[in-house]
């Protein structure tokens, strides 16, 4: 069994904290929440401290923040129906663009690996793809209306321009650009959860996806490309996604977030029962098409209220960030 040690508890935001996001270098992170502000944190000596507070970008709760892979840009998604783009071009963080178009709350934002595309999703049931057309200039490349309910999360594939989204309609969708007509389209629907899918994340190569739900289960899906060895049918010559593992009985309430560590392969979950759990793939019993994920550790009472987000440091192995309705951010160290 592994164990989790809390290295630091951070306060500063007023009210619930919705999201924490590591800078790609792993030496800073952004947080956002109900108080309509974004905080940028970095190390001062041995402690994490707030370096910047960005308070003039949004009129309502900020639900999500995401760094571009180059680390130059920060996107923030808000209940005010806008997504703001921040950069430090002048030495200080400034809001250089505000993306408008969603009808109501924007729930999530995500940068593609190349940094040339940004995806956003909303309670208005749509997923938008924005193209970076120049310095601080963004153009809507697609409005995708594949979901029938509130879309909770968008996540780009780690290497390809393939987008995954999950929704209150209990499904996960995959989107890609059609090479023939340059139109974005839904290439797969992953159905299996019996309630809202709150969060998704790819593994490091992008061959597998993990999802968590209001049905208290965690599922792992594998993509089977056309011509796969297993002989799994790939309609329309698109990658077919199949559920290859379901973990149930480990969470007692809604699972709000999941993070698949690109360095260690560990999966962390954030739950409405105030706990953080870490799962490890069992090397002895797992096979390619039937992996087994075992609970490595459960940090009960990780927070005083719902845990909203967990995210692994992209550079420093086994360091995990979490945030909660209790208004705190915690830095954890996982050890075997």
């Amino acid at each position: 069994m592994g164990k989790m040690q809390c290295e630091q508890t951070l306060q500063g935001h007023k009210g619930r904290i919705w999201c924490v996001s590591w800078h790609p270098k792993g030496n800073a992170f952004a947080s956002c929440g109900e108080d309509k502000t974004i905080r940028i944190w970095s190390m001062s000596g041995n402690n994490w401290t707030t370096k910047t507070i960005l308070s003039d970008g949004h009129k309502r709760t900020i639900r999500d923040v995401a760094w571009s892979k180059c680390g130059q840009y920060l996107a923030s998604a808000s209940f005010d129906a806008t997504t703001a783009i921040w950069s430090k071009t002048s030495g200080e963080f400034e809001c250089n663009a505000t993306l408008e178009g969603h009808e109501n709350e924007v729930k999530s934002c995500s940068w593609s690996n190349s940094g040339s595309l940004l995806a956003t999703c909303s309670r208005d049931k749509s997923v938008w793809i924005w193209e970076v057309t120049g310095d601080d200039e963004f153009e809507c490349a697609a409005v995708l209306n594949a979901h029938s309910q509130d879309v909770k999360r968008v996540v780009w594939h780690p290497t390809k321009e393939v987008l995954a989204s999950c929704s209150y309609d209990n499904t996960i969708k995959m989107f890609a650009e059609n090479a023939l007509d340059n139109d974005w389209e839904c290439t797969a629907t992953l159905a299996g959860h019996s309630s809202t899918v709150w969060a998704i994340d790819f593994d490091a190569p992008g061959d597998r996806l993990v999802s968590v739900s209001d049905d208290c289960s965690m599922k792992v899906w594998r993509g089977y490309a056309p011509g796969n060895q297993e002989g799994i049918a790939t309609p329309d010559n698109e990658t077919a996604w199949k559920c290859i593992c379901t973990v149930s009985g480990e969470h007692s309430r809604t699972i709000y977030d999941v993070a698949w560590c690109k360095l260690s392969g560990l999966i962390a979950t954030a739950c409405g029962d105030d706990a953080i759990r870490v799962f490890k793939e069992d090397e002895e019993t797992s096979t390619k098409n039937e992996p087994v994920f075992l609970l490595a550790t459960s940090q009960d009472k990780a927070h005083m209220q719902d845990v909203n987000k967990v995210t692994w440091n992209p550079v420093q192995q086994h360091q995990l960030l979490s945030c909660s309705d209790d208004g705190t951010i915690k830095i954890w160290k996982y050890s075997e």
Side-chain angles (χ1 to χ4, degrees):
M1 288 291 279
K3 67 173 198 287
M4 296 269 280
Q5 184 187 344
C6 181
E7 294 188 320
Q8 208 181 334
T9 300
L10 307 174
Q11 284 172 312
H13 283 286
K14 294 181 177 69
R16 102 180 12 164
I17 303 174
W18 277 116
C19 183
V20 277
S21 174
W22 285 107
H23 186 275
K25 288 184 177 162
N27 59 357
F29 66 87
S31 62
C32 66
E34 215 167 29
D35 63 6
K36 313 182 193 63
T37 71
I38 298 164
R39 285 176 175 251
I40 314 282
W41 307 73
S42 62
M43 291 289 269
S44 253
N46 296 325
N47 291 316
W48 291 89
T49 56
T50 298
K51 290 294 159 76
T52 310
I53 301 174
L54 308 175
S55 55
D56 55 355
H58 294 288
K59 297 181 179 72
R60 289 184 63 195
T61 290
I62 305 172
R63 183 67 176 84
D64 196 22
V65 278
W67 293 95
S68 60
K69 298 295 179 285
C70 66
Q72 298 293 319
Y73 298 94
L74 181 71
S76 58
S78 168
F79 285 3
D80 66 11
T82 71
T83 304
I85 310 296
W86 307 79
S87 70
K88 212 176 174 178
T89 35
S90 62
E92 294 294 320
F93 275 98
E94 283 178 40
C95 177
N96 293 326
T98 301
L99 311 183
E100 296 177 352
H102 284 293
E103 289 169 28
N104 44 40
E105 292 102 321
V106 187
K107 296 293 181 76
S108 170
C109 52
S110 175
W111 296 90
S112 67
N113 188 48
S114 68
S116 61
L117 298 169
L118 176 75
T120 60
C121 66
S122 163
R123 192 164 71 88
D124 67 12
K125 308 174 191 171
S126 72
V127 171
W128 287 50
I129 294 174
W130 307 82
E131 209 169 326
V132 184
T133 53
D135 283 348
D136 308 325
E137 286 180 25
F138 292 78
E139 213 170 83
C140 175
V143 176
L144 305 163
N145 292 300
H147 286 290
S148 60
Q149 297 287 340
D150 180 356
V151 189
K152 297 291 187 190
R153 186 72 60 88
V154 278
V155 177
W156 286 99
H157 185 282
T159 56
K160 300 175 188 163
E161 291 193 341
V162 170
L163 181 71
S165 63
C166 61
S167 165
Y168 192 70
D169 67 11
N170 308 354
T171 72
I172 299 154
K173 304 259 183 197
M174 295 285 176
F175 302 95
E177 198 173 15
N178 184 319
L180 296 174
D181 57 11
N182 291 356
D183 275 352
W184 283 85
E185 53 193 28
C186 177
T187 56
T189 298
L190 288 57
H193 284 291
S194 59
S195 191
T196 302
V197 186
W198 275 93
I200 46 181
D201 199 14
F202 285 98
D203 67 357
D207 300 331
R208 299 185 295 179
L209 181 88
V210 64
S211 59
V212 292
S213 166
D214 185 51
D215 66 14
C216 304
S217 79
M218 175 176 100
K219 289 182 183 287
V220 176
W221 312 75
R222 176 177 278 283
Y224 293 92
N228 63 80
Q229 296 170 329
E230 290 77 11
I232 286 167
T234 53
D236 302 327
N237 228 22
E238 298 287 358
T239 297
W241 288 84
K242 303 285 178 195
C243 179
I244 53 170
C245 173
T246 300
V247 174
S248 48
E250 298 289 1
H251 301 82
S252 59
R253 290 210 174 158
T254 300
I255 312 166
Y256 290 116
D257 194 33
V258 64
W260 202 329
C261 183
K262 308 299 182 270
L263 303 175
S264 65
L266 295 169
I267 295 175
T269 61
C271 191
D273 62 9
D274 311 343
I276 294 169
R277 293 171 180 80
V278 176
F279 294 86
K280 189 177 183 180
E281 190 164 359
D282 185 39
E283 289 172 10
E284 289 174 18
T285 58
S286 288
T287 61
K288 179 185 170 188
N289 301 307
E290 286 186 19
V292 176
F293 285 86
L294 301 174
L295 182 67
T297 188
S298 177
Q299 185 69 32
D300 299 330
K301 297 189 174 62
H303 285 276
M304 303 296 284
Q305 288 172 269
D306 292 3
V307 188
N308 291 321
K309 181 86 182 172
V310 281
T311 178
W312 295 100
N313 188 315
V315 177
Q316 197 175 325
Q317 192 158 300
H318 293 160
Q319 189 175 50
L320 187 76
L321 261 180
S322 67
C323 65
S324 164
D325 281 2
D326 69 11
T328 68
I329 296 164
K330 293 193 181 187
I331 309 216
W332 304 87
K333 184 81 177 164
Y334 171 81
S335 56
E336 297 286 345

